[in-house]
Amino acid sequence: MNTRFTFCMIKPDAFKNDSVSDILLEILKAGFKIRGIKITMLTKGKAEQFYDIHQGKDFFDRLTSFMSSGPVMAMVLERPDAVESLRALIGKTDPAQAAEGTIRRKFGTDTTHNAVHAADSYENAEREWSFFFSKREIY
Ligand code: CMP
């Protein structure tokens, strides 16, 4: 398993709050290299597909409506121990519970509007970046 790559997505609330560049800076300062990057807008159907594992949960409609409400920035990031490092950098799902200094604590508002998504395993990371990028778009 290649533990150098992970998937990250900056969410629509960060675009609305104008915090995308500050979040990117935090990611770069933490030593990640950007290997793929694009801004796109998910349809509701695409958001439902991306978050398929959360189908049936009470927050599913809220989550997918929000994720299709504005632009997202999808990224393939490289660093040793990429998944664990990025998860630590962004902090817990709920910004109020995320540790001081983490991205969600700094830039998130609530559990839905939490600024960033990061893959929780190497297997999911590959599934998630393949959702946005062809092989040629990752260098
Ligand atoms: P993310 O890392 O994008 O992965 C799944 C998302 O579901 C998560 O961040 C949250 O934004 C959202 N989520 C998880 N739990 C809840 C919840 N209890 N209420 C609302 N949204 C949630």
Side-chain angles (χ1 to χ4, degrees):
M1 189 198 302
N2 189 334
T3 59
R4 294 185 64 84
F5 293 89
T6 190
F7 175 77
C8 181
M9 179 163 50
I10 301 183
K11 299 188 178 188
D13 56 323
F15 281 85
K16 212 167 177 180
N17 302 337
D18 209 16
S19 48
V20 174
S21 54
D22 291 331
I23 292 172
L24 270 178
L25 206 56
E26 299 266 346
I27 291 169
L28 294 172
K29 276 196 303 191
F32 286 93
K33 299 252 185 296
I34 297 171
R35 296 303 185 200
I37 189 165
K38 67 172 68 167
I39 292 175
T40 186
M41 181 128 173
L42 294 168
T43 60
K44 181 82 157 69
K46 280 283 182 192
E48 287 170 357
Q49 226 179 304
F50 182 83
Y51 282 113
D52 189 48
I53 46 167
H54 297 298
Q55 283 265 13
K57 295 187 184 159
D58 62 345
F59 59 83
F60 186 69
D61 187 58
R62 191 163 63 236
L63 170 66
T64 53
S65 295
F66 163 61
M67 290 303 294
S68 55
S69 69
V72 297
M73 182 180 279
M75 286 178 281
V76 180
L77 299 175
E78 180 179 8
R79 211 202 97 148
D81 301 321
V83 164
E84 297 83 356
S85 309
L86 187 64
R87 298 278 291 180
L89 181 68
I90 74 170
K92 287 190 175 159
T93 307
D94 180 357
Q97 286 180 23
E100 202 68 53
T102 58
I103 290 177
R104 281 171 167 166
R105 177 66 174 258
K106 283 185 186 168
F107 303 106
T109 308
D110 56 45
T111 310
T112 302
H113 309 91
N114 60 358
V116 276
H117 162 82
D120 63 2
S121 69
Y122 291 98
E123 195 185 354
N124 282 340
E126 187 161 358
R127 182 186 76 81
E128 291 176 5
W129 78 57
S130 303
F131 189 88
F132 288 94
F133 298 94
S134 68
K135 282 220 164 76
R136 295 187 66 231
E137 291 172 318
I138 301 169
Y139 67 96

